[in-house]
RNA sequence: CGGGGAGUGGCGCAGCUUGGUAGCGCGCCUGCUUUGGGAGCAGGAGGUCGCCGGUUCGAAUCCGGUCUCCCCGACCA
């Protein structure tokens, strides 16, 4: 036990090397967690990102959870090219208008200037739809449900690791349907069965859902559905969107099918995506002053067995415990770096967010016990050696629920209702604000924008999704500051 | 585009006003002692002080230019 360091009288200083407390400077805390949990580094080109093994392992688990649900919804994976003819982007007026400022354009290749510049995809609507036009001929070809895992590039002027980077990884789904109703139903199915389900049940982040205002809508979409999460500082993060594209792209790219009567019809389409931004959401929604807190389903390592000292049979006991935990189906790591101090190792695993830790040392072992520590509340309990595996399983199950419950409580506590739009901006300083859309309107939305507050989504008074025929005056706007 | 700030070892910074060829914390390497909550001691490695030019016997420091980054505003979404 180290004696407390001499500190000058006055305000308590954080321990040497501690993270900046969230309340003191949330953005700085975020940067420090990303760096010290070894999630990512900045790339050599401004705005680019190196995803480190710990961060990438989290992404792989998110990817697996999403991919399984996407396939369960009937979509198939495919891959389309990184390079898109610049002319494709220009075909859909709103689309190109939305993206042109952030396009990376390749003007040279093979040592000479290209006749037609090539853009690096900011999204693949245009390329994919040009092929949909070839593949869709008959109503029997519909629905056509395609997903791709890819990188995209949007030149960002204010990059932040995971949240807004020039290049990021994502999944983009693109579908074509025979009817508007079918397209809408599918966009909503993806929103609920894939996105909300993954975010809430796997990532443990409760989300607010609704549709975007015209101002916030995806360029080229007729309706954009969104999942908005609340971060630890009360700001909103758009975590995933599912778009109804109407027939906008179908008309431009000529995606037509012969219906049962042999009459040519334009297809109705959707597109939907989530990205590595979700890792940023995980950090900001669950993290605390000790670092990251990972839901067990996404943790690369669920439980670390920490050998306190290599004495008194502790190593053998630790090794055996690792075997038992693996046999019980857990992802386990043994930390036997006994030349590094106990405190350092504990702190490091807490920074990385590993949900459970078992400390195996000679002192406990002499009494036939080990210490089980749960990350989410940093609680410790002594359990008999033989009961450690069961205790860990229980701790992991409790962690998943606890993280969700905590986030849901924060969301509820920091969401307020106002009736007067003039109160919205001030109320949004601390979280989400629900204000009647009829009272706010597009003018109110513009006024809020001047104060860095945006309408995150529109929903019904009871918080559910609006039907196609829900009157505008029945809608509620959820407004917040956002990342 | 306007205003403000900053470029010094992997990271964070001091030194600059009053020129004398670089220092601190963390991290890193080696050894010993430690190890139940960010270990201690000793010894080391690592920097053409963003870049170009000028003044000077001598420039991180003074002067001119230039590049980059950050913050605020504007613009855009």
């Amino acid at each position: 036990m180290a004696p407390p360091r001499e500190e000058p009288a006055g305000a308590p200083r954080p321990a040497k090397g501690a993270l900046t407390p969230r309340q003191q400077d949330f953005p700085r805390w975020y940067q420090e967690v990303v760096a010290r949990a070894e999630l990512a580094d900045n790339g050599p080109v401004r705005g680019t990102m190196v995803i480190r093994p710990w961060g990438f392992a989290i992404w792989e688990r998110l990817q697996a959870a999403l991919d399984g649900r996407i396939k369960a919804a009937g979509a198939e994976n495919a891959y389309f090219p990184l390079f898109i003819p610049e002319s494709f982007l220009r075909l859909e007026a709103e689309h190109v208008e939305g993206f042109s400022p952030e396009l990376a354009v390749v003007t040279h290749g093979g040592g000479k200037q290209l006749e037609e510049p090539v853009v690096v995809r900011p999204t693949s609507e245009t390329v994919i739809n040009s092929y949909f036009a070839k593949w869709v001929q008959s109503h029997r070809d519909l629905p056509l449900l395609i997903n791709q895992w890819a990188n995209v590039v949007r030149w960002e002027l204010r990059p932040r690791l995971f949240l807004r980077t020039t290049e990021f990884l994502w999944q983009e789904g693109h579908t074509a349907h025979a009817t508007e109703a079918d397209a809408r139903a599918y966009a909503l199915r993806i929103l609920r069965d894939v996105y909300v389900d993954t975010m809430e049940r796997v990532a443990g982040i409760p989300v607010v859902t609704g549709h975007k205002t015209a101002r916030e809508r995806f360029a080229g979409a007729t309706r954009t559905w969104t999942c908005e999460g609340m971060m630890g500082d009360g700001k909103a993060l758009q975590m995933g969107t599912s778009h109804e594209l109407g027939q906008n792209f179908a008309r431009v790219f000529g995606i037509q099918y012969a219906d049962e009567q042999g009459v040519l019809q334009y297809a109705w389409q959707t597109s939907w995506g989530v990205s590595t931004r979700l890792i940023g959401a995980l950090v900001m929604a669950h993290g605390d002053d000790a670092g990251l807190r990972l839901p067990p389903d996404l943790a690369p390592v669920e439980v670390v067995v920490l050998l306190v000292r290599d004495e008194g049979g502790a190593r053998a006991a630790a090794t055996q415990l690792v075997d038992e935990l693996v046999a019980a189906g857990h992802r386990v790591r043994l930390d036997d770096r006994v030349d590094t101090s106990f405190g350092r190792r504990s702190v490091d695993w807490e920074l990385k967010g590993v949900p459970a830790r078992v400390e195996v040392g000679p002192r406990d072992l002499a009494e036939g016990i080990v210490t089980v520590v749960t990350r989410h509340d940093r609680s410790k309990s002594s359990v008999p050696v033989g009961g450690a595996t069961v205790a860990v399983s229980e701790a992991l199950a409790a962690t998943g629920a606890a993280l969700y419950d905590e986030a849901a409580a924060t969301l509820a506590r920091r969401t307020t209702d106002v009736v007067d739009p003039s109160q919205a901006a001030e109320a949004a300083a601390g979280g989400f604000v629900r204000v009647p859309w009829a009272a706010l309107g597009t003018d109110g939305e513009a006024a809020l924008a001047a104060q860095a507050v945006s309408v995150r989504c529109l929903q019904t008074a009871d918080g559910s999704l609006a039907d196609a025929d829900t009157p505008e005056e029945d809608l509620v706007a959820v407004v917040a500051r956002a990342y």
Side-chain angles (χ1 to χ4, degrees), chain A residues 383-401:
Chain A
V383 303
V385 177
T389 297
V390 170
V392 166
S393 298
E394 287 169 355
L396 291 174
T399 292

Side-chain angles (χ1 to χ4, degrees), chain A residues 380-458:
Chain A
K380 294 191 175 193
S381 58
S382 296
V383 303
V385 177
T389 297
V390 170
V392 166
S393 298
E394 287 169 355
L396 291 174
T399 292
L403 288 177
Y404 179 85
D405 291 346
E406 203 179 305
T410 302
L411 175 60
R413 179 167 42 83
R414 302 182 76 155
T415 299
T416 56
D417 283 82
V418 304
V419 290
D420 183 351
S422 66
Q423 302 171 320
E426 192 181 343
F432 291 6
V433 182
R434 291 164 45 87
V435 53
W437 175 235
L440 188 65
T442 51
D443 290 346
E445 183 182 21
L448 286 177
Q451 298 168 76
V453 174
S454 55
V455 176
R456 304 316 303 157
C457 66
L458 302 175

Side-chain angles (χ1 to χ4, degrees), chain A residues 326-346:
Chain A
V326 168
H330 295 304
R331 292 182 297 284
V332 191
R333 186 169 302 176
L334 173 66
D335 182 350
D336 61 353
R337 301 170 298 163
V338 290
D339 50 339
T340 300
S341 79
F342 171 82
R344 161 54 59 103
R345 290 184 289 151
S346 301

Side-chain angles (χ1 to χ4, degrees), chain A residues 124-192:
Chain A
S124 302
E125 254 75 19
T126 56
V127 231
I128 291 183
N129 285 324
S130 69
Y131 284 83
F132 273 26
K134 295 172 66 173
W135 298 342
V136 172
Q137 301 292 329
S138 155
H139 67 274
R140 294 191 182 84
D141 296 326
L142 298 176
L144 178 56
L145 312 173
I146 294 293
N147 178 62
Q148 107 165 326
W149 289 96
N151 58 339
V152 287
V153 168
R154 300 175 185 179
W155 214 262
E156 288 291 350
L157 299 177
R158 299 208 189 288
R160 302 189 65 182
L161 287 175
F162 292 116
L163 304 177
R164 179 174 287 114
T165 48
T166 284
E167 180 190 9
F168 57 89
L169 306 183
W170 77 343
Q171 146 286 307
E172 52 176 321
H174 299 270
T175 69
H177 305 259
T179 66
E180 179 174 27
D182 194 40
R184 163 161 298 194
Y186 198 76
L188 289 171
R189 179 178 180 183
I190 293 293
L191 184 81
R192 284 193 272 241

Side-chain angles (χ1 to χ4, degrees), chain A residues 95 213 236 372:
Chain A
H95 192 62
T213 61
V372 175

